[in-house]
């Protein structure tokens, strides 16, 4: 898959693409990332890519023409049979979740537009943007962090990227866990700061361990994200024993 990132600050992505376990996805070519600076497609000595907003008000707006020229170059290089989706990171979009990440991880990729300043000329958005994505109800200085979040989440789902192939199956929100939050994890030493590892995890009894982990996932999800319990119940993912545990909680 291929992601083309339109950003005024491509240098921000260099350490991200070269660090951590997900770098395997990028260096192997499983996830190809190409960086494009719209300033390279702007005219004039100053390569201006922003201007004041019509109607007044503070801040500047990214101009449509440099972005359109940049996108045209990307499309020519990709040469896709179907035009790649164009994703704008914006407060208008739905919050990124596991379902959306799974969708993009199984796609051919997309063009990721990292907005800056007060935003992007709406005419470019209307003409070219196919998807809008938010990280939540807050505002960032630009879309770069959001683009990295999507790329990281997509990369770790690719085969061979994580040390353990089944590791991401135990992530919070994963359908393999019925959309619940993950359970607590412990490692050596067995006693730390007078706190001990739960006895059941030391028992070697795999069925009891799995039941304990399931109960912990139910308890943590019910406490912190009861909406996920409701969703799991509606989808028929909770059995009678799960419901008994929830009643006892």
């Amino acid at each position: 898959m291929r992601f083309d990132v339109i950003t005024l600050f491509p240098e921000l992505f260099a350490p991200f693409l070269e660090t951590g376990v997900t770098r395997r996805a990028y260096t192997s070519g499983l996830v190809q990332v190409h960086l494009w600076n719209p300033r390279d497609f702007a005219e004039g000595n100053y390569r201006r890519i922003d201007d004041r907003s019509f109607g007044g008000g503070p801040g500047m707006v990214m101009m449509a023409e440099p972005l359109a020229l940049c996108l045209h170059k990307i499309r020519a290089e990709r040469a896709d049979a179907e035009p790649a989706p164009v994703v704008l990171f914006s407060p208008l979009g739905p919050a990124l979740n596991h379902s959306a990440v799974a969708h993009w991880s199984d796609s051919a990729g997309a063009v990721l537009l990292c907005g800056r300043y007060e935003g992007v000329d709406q005419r470019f958005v209307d003409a070219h943007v196919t998807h809008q994505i938010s990280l939540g109800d807050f505002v960032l200085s630009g879309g770069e962090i959001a683009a990295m979040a999507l790329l990281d989440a997509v990369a770790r789902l690719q085969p061979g990227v994580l040390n353990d192939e089944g590791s991401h199956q135990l992530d919070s929100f994963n359908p393999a866990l019925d959309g619940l939050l993950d359970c607590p994890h412990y490692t050596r030493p067995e006693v730390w700061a007078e706190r001990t590892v739960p006895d059941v995890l030391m028992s070697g009894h795999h069925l009891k361990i799995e039941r304990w982990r399931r109960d912990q996932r139910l308890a943590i999800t019910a406490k912190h994200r009861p909406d996920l319990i409701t969703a799991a119940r509606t989808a028929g993912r909770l059995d009678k024993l799960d419901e008994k545990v929830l009643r006892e909680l």
Side-chain angles (χ1 to χ4, degrees):
M1 72 182 61
R2 169 172 170 163
F3 288 92
D4 292 87
V5 183
I6 301 176
T7 171
L8 290 171
F9 300 99
E11 63 274 12
L12 293 177
F13 288 82
F16 166 76
L17 296 174
E18 300 168 358
T19 306
V21 68
T22 52
R23 75 183 185 281
R24 297 173 184 168
Y26 312 124
T27 57
S28 68
L30 278 172
V31 180
Q32 300 177 44
V33 178
H34 298 258
L35 303 173
W36 302 81
N37 192 332
R39 201 177 296 279
D40 295 336
F41 299 87
E43 298 179 348
N45 294 332
Y46 296 101
R47 298 285 184 178
R48 189 169 184 175
I49 48 78
D50 62 304
D51 208 334
R52 296 185 182 278
S53 176
F54 281 121
M60 307 292 277
V61 177
M62 294 184 73
M63 301 166 69
E65 186 62 10
L67 294 174
L69 292 174
C70 181
L71 179 60
H72 179 75
K73 179 67 174 179
I74 291 171
R75 294 216 185 281
E77 185 172 300
R78 289 181 66 108
D80 295 323
E82 293 289 333
V86 178
V87 177
L88 172 64
F89 297 100
S90 160
L92 275 64
L96 187 63
N97 58 23
H98 180 82
S99 177
V101 169
H103 163 76
W104 292 111
S105 70
D106 197 33
S107 72
V111 178
L112 308 181
L113 173 55
C114 302
R116 280 273 164 175
Y117 314 122
E118 291 299 311
V120 175
D121 190 310
Q122 187 62 39
R123 292 168 293 186
F124 178 86
V125 176
D126 293 340
H128 298 292
V129 171
T130 59
H131 298 72
Q132 298 194 53
I133 295 176
S134 168
L135 287 191
D137 295 343
F138 59 95
V139 177
L140 295 166
S141 298
E144 285 77 12
I145 292 176
M148 292 179 197
L150 176 60
L151 290 171
D152 183 85
V154 165
R156 67 190 308 280
L157 294 185
Q158 302 308 306
V161 173
L162 301 182
N163 289 323
D164 187 332
E165 283 294 316
S167 180
H168 68 78
Q169 296 293 328
L170 300 181
D171 288 343
S172 295
F173 313 113
N174 197 298
L177 295 184
D178 295 325
L180 305 177
L181 300 179
D182 198 7
C183 63
H185 298 277
Y186 300 85
T187 188
R188 296 176 182 177
E190 295 176 19
V191 180
W192 176 81
E194 300 182 358
R195 298 171 184 266
T196 60
V197 177
D199 291 338
V200 65
L201 297 180
M202 310 293 293
S203 69
H205 195 300
H206 296 297
L207 290 179
K208 288 184 178 180
I209 290 172
E210 285 308 308
R211 186 64 245 177
W212 180 87
R213 287 174 171 166
R214 178 70 174 186
D215 292 349
Q216 290 294 307
R217 290 173 183 129
L218 290 166
I220 290 171
T221 306
K223 179 179 180 180
H224 297 283
R225 289 292 303 275
D227 58 304
L228 297 179
I229 293 290
T230 301
R233 181 176 287 129
T234 301
R237 295 172 178 168
L238 304 183
D239 60 22
K240 291 182 178 180
L241 186 51
D242 292 335
E243 294 291 3
K244 180 177 181 293
V245 171
L246 291 170
R247 286 195 301 272
E248 292 174 351
L249 289 173

